[in-house]
Amino acid sequence: MEKKKLVLIGNGMAGVRSIEEILKLNGQEAFDIKIFGSEPHVNYNRIMLSAVLAGDTTIKDIEINSLEWYEENNIELFTNETVTKLDTERKILYTDNGREMSYDHVIMATGSNPFILPIPGAELEGVIAFRDIKDCETMIDASKNYKKAVVIGGGLLGLEAARGLLNLGMEVDVVHLQDYLMERQLDQDAAKLLRIELEKQGMNFLMPQLTDKIVGTDRVEKVVFKDGSETKADLVVMAVGIRPNTTLANESGIEVNRGVVVNNYMQTNVSNVYAVGECAEHREVVYGLVAPLYEQGKVLAKHIVGQDAGEGYQGSVLSTKLKVSGVNVFSAGEFMDDGSTRSVRVYDEFEGIYKKVMIRNEKVVGAVLFGDTKEGTKLLSMINEGADVSGMAPINILQSSSGGESESLTAALADGDHVCGCNGVSKGAIVSAIREQSLCSVEEVSGCTSAGRSCGTCKPMISELLADTLGDEFDAAAKSEAVCGCTDLSHEQVVAEIREKGLTHTKEVMNVLGWKNEGGCSKCRPAINYYLGMVHPKNYEDEKESRFVNERMHANIQKDGTYSVVPRMYGGVTNPKELKRIAEVAEKYNVPLVKLTGGQRIDLLGIKKEDLPNVWKEIGMPSGHAYGKTLRTVKTCVGESFCRFGTQDSIGMGIALEKKFEGLNTPHKVKMAVSACPRNCAESGIKDVGIVGVEGAWEIYVGGNGGTELRKGDLLCKVKTSEEVLVITAAYLQLYRETARYLERTSHWIERVGLDYVIDHIISNEQNRKELSARMDVVLSTVKDPWSEIYESDELQNELFKNKHVEIIQ
């Protein structure tokens, strides 16, 4: 049977997902498929652009389907080519490249266009929307040359754009017409907590404020508001909404209201022409979120291949999650009181937690969660199912249905509950796939079921389901987690191959070990660079281009593009001579802020990049390594010499530790502290290595962390002498260096390998301890101070401060 010609117009998420659904139904046998896309890219995850902008991932990583996928499925892809008109009577399409093509069926998935405010100055250079990869790249480029961004729109997309611009080092004003944020998803209480959290992250809000015009000669210079006030702007991002792209439908005589009008089977008023996604209007509703669009795609696929699609698409309950680092927001269904609803509320202003569940006629009709969103999936299922809650105590609606304290919410979900709301994948489907397909990782589950392929916020739940379903088998699989998408090899396997095959360069590692992506990525390159240096400490030449920007510049880059430097003060001790030099340098180079750090050092902030070598030279102190994956500081209390309670010389011990291990490369940053007594004034209990003096001895604690995930250190051992402290610390850090994964803090490493493993290798096995300590001595013999190395070398200064063509990993 001759195949029908099926053309998809629009290479975005909704359209290609429709094609994927058609392929699942053996549509490949029935159709010769062609896809047109106006962008020059393969199908990518548009909703992850905010993660790209925030620096959490790369454009390559958000590709959904590679060119190989199109080839494997015999799909002909036309990129950078826009279909301009359909002759629906002759069934011929026309493109802006002059192409004519006949078809039997057409799916229009032309998406939507960002709305640009029709105000004076909107056409100026530097005024953009946030819609596609090009916009994302424009913002990244702008951040390298400009400082101040203004985002117009305090909705979901605007806040994600603002967070990304902050990450790029820009100052950001968010202008919003309403008096509270995300008014389409949140009520005022939740929005208030959101604003507080985002202000802590550095966003500045101008609201309620109505934009009057944008001013500039060629490029934007400022934004002026209706009340006459204004704010400086080097970049303006408009995130004020989207409109369905109906140009093609209008040109082709297809019925359009707000969007392309479709019925329950995504059919337009023209035979054999379908519309799906953001361009389509179903029952007078145009959807802009991914989950409804994928539901539409499933119905369309069944209908077009001739299967029973039941009643077709019946509309969707909308749910939203904000993808901003450190902020958990969930919203679904109705969230505003209208007199016909009652609500259950939890409001903890101290912890920044807000939960509201809306109930009408004993059914949950909506929910807003802020700060703690783990019940979101369960609540969304209850809303979709119209679950009767008349038999539940209201507060229990916000808890696991089982009521068991130890059972996770994921375990408590019913098989039919959706784990991945974006792709409509249920818990039962995931568990079945894990069992039937022998899946062992989140990536495998995503590849098989599509769960987690969109916004990715459900990945922790998928991981829980893997653990619950596979038990120990999942733990074993987790231990062999691949370094990144460039390879299937785990960190441990890469290190083993480097040792076994004698690999000595990053490119060699990638070539010999069959890297999928030539040149690697920002995840694997720094890791390989570290592993090579760890395995070959005396012979390996560090690849500066594989370092993150702070490590490469040996200073911390700040949001305004300047740098901060921290001279090393061993044990937190200084003297008038050093203080005077630091003060003179601060005055000479107009350092705007001199601040004491939490590690008892002096931070000079706001130094221009070109001044760094002279600042380092004139300070005349070694680098504090406040920027690197290395020993940062050893914090100390005043100890036995001055303190009435101190039983040990904590300052002397701290200085000895810092002098011994300064400049040591480690998988992640390492912080230490020494306290002279159990009163613990140096906070030794929450450091990577914490030393606590007791009467006649030292206690050594390991694996502590005072960061975002607070972890109390574990007692490793108790020793009598300072020499023993140094030897055991050396063995401990070397064991960490050799067995931890790159970017794994000691707190996570300890929990992965177990304290008993560390004790067995260091405390119980004296010979092993000596060997580890000896290998540490070899490593330490190669350490150089990076500041003096640079200001004494014209070549390094030229490379770091004049050569602009070397790629820097941010």
Side-chain angles (χ1 to χ4, degrees):
M1 185 178 69
E2 187 177 355
K3 291 184 177 180
K4 297 285 186 182
K5 297 171 186 174
L6 172 62
V7 177
L8 169 66
I9 303 172
N11 192 32
M13 297 176 71
V16 175
R17 173 53 68 88
S18 300
I19 296 296
E20 289 179 339
E21 296 292 342
I22 291 170
L23 294 175
K24 286 180 188 175
L25 302 175
N26 293 322
Q28 199 174 13
E29 304 296 323
F31 297 111
D32 174 21
I33 303 173
K34 301 183 188 304
I35 299 178
F36 286 86
S38 298
E39 292 186 63
H41 310 285
V42 295
N43 174 232
Y44 64 89
N45 189 339
R46 192 182 302 276
I47 60 177
M48 291 300 286
L49 282 176
S50 55
V52 174
L53 192 61
D56 296 334
T57 188
T58 65
I59 288 173
K60 181 69 180 173
D61 290 337
I62 66 171
E63 288 182 0
I64 298 175
N65 294 303
S66 64
L67 279 175
E68 289 73 23
W69 176 84
Y70 293 88
E71 291 171 3
E72 289 168 1
N73 290 287
N74 296 317
I75 297 172
E76 193 170 2
L77 174 65
F78 302 89
T79 58
N80 248 343
E81 188 164 351
T82 302
V83 177
T84 55
K85 188 174 182 180
L86 301 178
D87 182 336
T88 55
E89 290 189 3
R90 297 170 60 205
K91 293 187 177 179
I92 294 176
L93 64 80
Y94 304 89
T95 76
D96 60 355
N97 280 358
R99 192 188 307 272
E100 293 184 18
M101 183 180 289
S102 61
Y103 66 84
D104 295 304
H105 300 275
V106 160
I107 301 172
M108 290 194 297
T110 50
S112 58
N113 296 321
F115 179 63
I116 299 295
L117 293 174
I119 56 176
E123 74 289 350
L124 285 169
E125 182 184 355
V127 180
I128 61 170
F130 181 30
R131 182 63 184 160
D132 55 27
I133 286 178
K134 185 181 176 184
D135 295 328
C136 201
E137 291 174 334
T138 300
M139 283 188 258
I140 292 171
D141 288 343
S143 71
K144 296 173 182 174
N145 300 305
Y146 301 100
K147 294 182 177 178
K148 178 68 184 300
V150 174
V151 176
I152 301 177
L156 195 67
L157 193 62
L159 297 178
E160 290 176 358
R163 177 63 259 183
L165 290 166
L166 280 178
N167 282 18
L168 291 171
M170 300 193 80
E171 297 174 34
V172 182
D173 286 345
V174 176
V175 179
H176 196 45
L177 184 61
Q178 306 295 330
D179 58 0
Y180 69 96
L181 299 168
M182 288 180 64
E183 74 280 358
R184 296 180 67 182
Q185 291 88 18
L186 303 179
D187 62 10
Q188 293 200 33
D189 289 331
K192 175 184 173 186
L193 291 176
L194 175 63
R195 176 172 178 169
I196 291 171
E197 178 57 38
L198 293 177
E199 283 177 336
K200 287 180 186 173
Q201 295 189 14
M203 278 184 216
N204 182 48
F205 292 98
L206 305 174
M207 53 192 282
Q209 197 61 271
L210 180 61
T211 305
D212 184 43
K213 58 185 175 182
I214 299 171
V215 177
T217 306
D218 296 316
R219 186 181 177 88
V220 55
E221 295 172 6
K222 62 183 178 182
V223 175
V224 180
F225 304 108
K226 286 288 185 185
D227 64 4
S229 62
E230 59 186 43
T231 187
K232 183 181 181 304
D234 300 316
L235 176 74
V236 173
V237 180
M238 288 201 193
V240 291
I242 55 176
R243 287 183 171 174
N245 180 3
T246 58
T247 304
L248 175 62
N250 284 323
E251 291 293 323
S252 307
I254 297 168
E255 183 184 0
V256 171
N257 187 29
R258 285 181 58 215
V260 183
V261 178
V262 294
N263 63 15
N264 290 354
Y265 303 98
M266 314 317 293
Q267 293 173 293
T268 68
N269 66 319
V270 175
S271 175
N272 294 328
V273 178
Y274 298 80
V276 69
E278 292 178 340
C279 68
E281 177 182 325
H282 175 261
R283 297 182 186 175
E284 300 184 346
V285 178
V286 176
Y287 294 93
L289 298 173
V290 68
L293 312 187
Y294 286 178
E295 291 176 37
Q296 295 174 358
K298 286 184 179 180
V299 171
L300 187 156
K302 280 190 175 181
H303 188 268
I304 206 167
V305 302
Q307 290 194 6
D308 181 11
E311 296 180 348
Y313 179 64
Q314 297 296 307
S316 302
V317 174
L318 298 180
S319 66
T320 301
K321 292 177 182 176
L322 181 63
K323 299 178 292 302
V324 167
S325 175
V327 183
N328 294 315
V329 175
F330 171 85
S331 170
E334 302 177 35
F335 59 90
M336 297 299 286
D337 306 289
D338 65 358
S340 68
T341 56
R342 293 182 299 165
S343 62
V344 181
R345 299 173 194 245
V346 174
Y347 189 17
D348 184 344
E349 200 165 357
F350 293 96
E351 296 295 327
I353 293 174
Y354 177 72
K355 302 181 181 187
K356 181 168 82 169
V357 179
M358 304 292 292
I359 300 170
R360 180 189 295 120
N361 300 329
E362 310 299 344
K363 294 180 179 177
V364 177
V365 295
V368 174
L369 306 175
F370 181 88
D372 177 3
T373 58
K374 60 179 180 291
E375 293 101 344
T377 299
K378 183 68 183 174
L379 288 168
L380 181 59
S381 293
M382 295 173 81
I383 296 167
N384 283 326
E385 294 167 2
D388 188 339
V389 296
S390 57
M392 299 177 67
I395 195 64
N396 287 344
I397 297 171
L398 281 167
Q399 298 174 351
S400 164
S401 60
S402 69
E405 292 183 359
S406 60
E407 188 176 19
S408 72
L409 284 174
T410 306
L413 292 176
D415 282 351
D417 287 342
H418 282 174
V419 169
C420 177
C422 297
N423 296 286
V425 186
S426 68
K427 173 186 173 181
I430 292 173
V431 171
S432 295
I434 292 169
R435 288 177 177 152
E436 294 168 8
Q437 306 294 325
S438 301
L439 309 179
C440 293
S441 69
V442 173
E443 288 71 26
E444 288 177 343
V445 172
S446 294
C448 185
T449 67
S450 294
R453 285 180 69 192
S454 298
C455 74
T457 54
C458 62
K459 287 184 176 180
M461 298 176 72
I462 298 173
S463 184
E464 281 188 37
L465 288 176
L466 279 161
D468 290 344
T469 308
L470 299 177
D472 293 341
E473 195 179 336
F474 174 67
D475 292 338
K479 287 178 180 175
S480 62
E481 178 186 352
V483 174
C484 65
C486 300
T487 178
D488 294 328
L489 296 174
S490 68
H491 292 259
E492 292 78 7
Q493 287 170 321
V494 170
V495 173
E497 294 284 354
I498 289 173
R499 292 184 189 279
E500 184 180 330
K501 293 184 167 63
L503 306 178
T504 56
H505 295 84
T506 300
K507 288 287 185 188
E508 185 184 20
V509 171
M510 294 176 180
N511 290 335
V512 172
L513 302 185
W515 238 242
K516 298 172 187 174
N517 299 320
E518 185 181 358
C521 68
S522 58
K523 291 181 181 177
C524 61
R525 282 165 50 195
I528 297 172
N529 184 51
Y530 168 76
Y531 293 139
L532 287 167
M534 183 269 289
V535 174
H536 309 295
K538 299 202 77 167
N539 303 319
Y540 179 65
E541 186 171 343
D542 186 60
E543 289 185 356
K544 292 181 175 56
E545 63 273 21
S546 291
R547 293 273 189 178
F548 293 102
V549 61
N550 286 351
E551 293 181 295
R552 180 176 166 77
M553 298 305 298
H554 302 286
N556 278 323
I557 192 167
Q558 304 298 319
K559 60 189 292 184
D560 62 355
T562 63
Y563 288 80
S564 67
V565 300
V566 179
R568 187 167 291 283
M569 294 175 177
Y570 299 99
V573 176
T574 185
N575 56 50
K577 198 179 221 180
E578 288 180 344
L579 288 174
K580 187 177 180 183
R581 277 209 306 276
I582 291 172
E584 288 172 347
V585 168
E587 279 192 342
K588 179 176 179 180
Y589 291 93
N590 298 315
V591 173
L593 180 64
V594 179
K595 187 181 184 310
L596 296 182
T597 72
Q600 301 174 332
R601 307 296 185 268
I602 293 176
D603 198 354
L604 305 178
L605 295 108
I607 296 173
K608 296 175 184 172
K609 178 182 175 183
E610 59 270 24
D611 289 338
L612 285 174
N614 286 333
V615 166
W616 296 336
K617 185 176 182 179
E618 291 175 35
I619 285 177
M621 297 167 68
S623 167
H625 288 89
Y627 45 82
K629 310 294 180 284
T630 179
L631 173 68
R632 295 287 179 90
T633 59
V634 182
K635 191 174 182 177
T636 65
C637 64
V638 296
E640 64 179 1
S641 300
F642 292 92
C643 179
R644 291 177 296 138
F645 305 101
T647 59
Q648 297 284 9
D649 177 14
S650 55
I651 293 179
M653 186 73 253
I655 291 174
L657 284 165
E658 190 161 349
K659 286 198 168 182
K660 183 174 177 67
F661 298 110
E662 66 174 312
L664 174 71
N665 281 324
T666 45
H668 211 303
K669 62 186 175 185
V670 168
K671 297 180 180 180
M672 298 191 198
V674 183
S675 300
C677 77
R679 300 171 76 86
N680 226 333
C681 292
E683 301 168 333
S684 302
I686 53 170
K687 299 297 182 186
D688 297 277
V689 179
I691 314 297
V692 178
V694 294
E695 195 64 42
W698 295 101
E699 292 178 341
I700 302 177
Y701 292 83
V702 294
N705 188 351
T708 53
E709 297 178 25
L710 188 69
R711 185 181 191 276
K712 179 179 177 296
D714 297 316
L715 178 61
L716 179 65
C717 64
K718 186 175 178 179
V719 298
K720 291 184 178 179
T721 67
S722 298
E723 289 72 25
E724 290 175 286
V725 171
L726 292 170
V727 170
I728 289 173
T729 302
Y732 170 75
L733 289 178
Q734 186 62 16
L735 184 65
Y736 168 58
R737 293 182 75 247
E738 293 180 0
T739 59
R741 297 164 183 165
Y742 186 68
L743 294 185
E744 187 174 37
R745 291 293 301 266
T746 62
S747 55
H748 295 144
W749 172 69
I750 281 275
E751 293 197 348
R752 180 167 62 84
V753 302
L755 181 63
D756 289 344
Y757 169 87
V758 179
I759 291 174
D760 289 346
H761 281 72
I762 297 175
I763 307 303
S764 307
N765 189 331
E766 183 179 358
Q767 182 59 32
N768 199 46
R769 179 168 71 243
K770 286 181 179 177
E771 291 174 1
L772 285 165
S773 184
R775 291 201 290 277
M776 172 62 81
D777 288 340
V778 172
V779 176
L780 294 174
S781 71
T782 67
V783 172
K784 298 175 183 175
D785 177 62
W787 287 2
S788 61
E789 191 178 19
I790 292 172
Y791 67 68
E792 289 171 358
S793 168
D794 291 339
E795 182 181 349
L796 281 176
Q797 287 188 45
N798 185 56
E799 178 186 337
L800 287 169
F801 297 96
K802 295 177 183 174
N803 187 346
K804 307 296 184 185
H805 301 294
V806 177
E807 182 185 356
I808 295 175
I809 299 174
Q810 293 285 349

